[in-house]
């Protein structure tokens, strides 16, 4: 659906992990595995897991012609998208998904907090504050294909720390100003990291 655009894929999963509700992943999503659109209905997403490059995708030693479902081919096939190639690459989608899972675990406000939509000063930005009595997380998502500056009023006082990177974010006295790249996102803890 996103044409393999890594920026928009990450944006979609950032939304999944930060909006209210339980984030759920279907196997293969964590590496950007594609579908077999030649298969009927829901069978399109029920392809063998792509563990490694090659004709069997590391799924089995059996002849792939005997697999109950054929492997995905082309740009999303196992020669280009697989766990082995992404497992130790710090810039892979799998690594980003791991950071989302870790960030979600470190931010109970996202799972249990009250979610409030805030004005970010740009219609392309979704800003929301998830808060509990113990803390708050400001999350920003840029849906535009252009860089934006989000200026978000209504954020409690305190230091802002990016949950995914650990970096501190400068804030003006009245409202945080955060630069977001095209399709960018930030998860910002308000207060002590």
């Amino acid at each position: 659906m996103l044409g393999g655009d890594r920026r928009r894929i990450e944006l979609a999963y950032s939304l999944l992990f930060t909006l209210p509700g339980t984030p759920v992943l279907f196997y293969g999503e964590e590496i950007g595995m594609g579908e077999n659109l030649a298969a009927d209905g829901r069978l399109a997403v029920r392809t063998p897991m792509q563990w490694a490059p090659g004709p069997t995708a590391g799924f089995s030693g059996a002849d792939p012609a005997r697999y109950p479902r054929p492997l995905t081919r082309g740009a999303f096939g196992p020669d280009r998208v697989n766990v082995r190639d992404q497992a130790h690459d710090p810039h892979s989608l799998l690594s980003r998904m791991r950071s989302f899972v870790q960030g979600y675990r470190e931010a109970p406000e996202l799972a249990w907090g009250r979610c409030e939509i805030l004005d970010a000063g740009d219609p392309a930005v979704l800003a929301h504050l998830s808060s509990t009595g113990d803390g708050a997380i400001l999350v920003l998502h840029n849906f535009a294909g252009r860089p934006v500056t989000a200026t978000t009023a209504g954020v409690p006082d305190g230091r802002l720390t990016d949950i995914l990177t650990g970096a501190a974010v400068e804030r003006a006295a009245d409202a945080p100003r955060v630069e977001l790249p095209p399709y960018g996102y930030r998860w910002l803890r308000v207060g002590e990291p």
Side-chain angles (χ1 to χ4, degrees):
M1 287 175 27
L2 300 174
D5 184 337
R6 173 73 182 270
R7 301 169 307 166
R8 295 188 312 163
I9 290 169
E10 286 188 23
L11 179 68
Y13 285 109
S14 177
L15 285 162
L16 176 73
F17 277 93
T18 60
L19 289 174
T22 302
V24 176
L25 298 175
F26 193 69
Y27 76 91
E29 288 184 62
E30 70 275 22
I31 61 169
M33 210 168 101
E35 301 149 347
N36 180 357
L37 298 178
D40 292 330
R42 293 186 44 85
L43 297 178
V45 297
R46 294 182 174 149
T47 57
M49 183 64 182
Q50 297 171 187
W51 295 105
T56 65
F59 180 73
S60 168
D63 179 357
R66 297 185 60 208
Y67 287 5
R69 302 282 179 265
L71 291 166
T72 301
R73 298 286 176 213
F76 297 101
D79 289 336
R80 294 188 182 182
V81 178
N82 64 73
V83 174
R84 190 185 77 190
D85 290 349
Q86 291 189 31
H88 301 291
D89 178 356
H91 304 292
S92 70
L93 182 58
L94 178 58
S95 291
R96 177 51 59 179
M97 296 299 264
R98 286 176 175 158
S99 72
F100 285 163
V101 170
Q102 184 65 33
Y104 183 78
R105 287 180 175 165
E106 293 174 6
E109 298 89 344
L110 294 174
W112 305 106
R114 177 179 171 270
C115 184
E116 175 186 2
I117 303 298
L118 302 175
D119 180 7
D122 189 306
V125 177
L126 171 64
H128 64 92
L129 186 71
S130 294
S131 55
T132 65
D134 296 326
I137 307 292
L138 171 64
V139 183
L140 303 166
H141 289 99
N142 176 13
F143 289 89
R146 61 177 168 75
V148 300
T149 300
T151 305
T152 311
V155 177
D157 290 337
R159 177 183 174 157
L160 297 175
T161 306
D162 191 307
I163 292 173
L164 301 175
T165 67
V169 176
E170 294 293 323
R171 84 177 276 174
D174 56 345
R177 292 177 48 85
V178 180
E179 302 292 327
L180 295 168
Y183 308 111
Y185 52 88
R186 300 290 294 270
W187 303 11
L188 304 172
R189 177 168 297 289
V190 181
E192 291 301 314

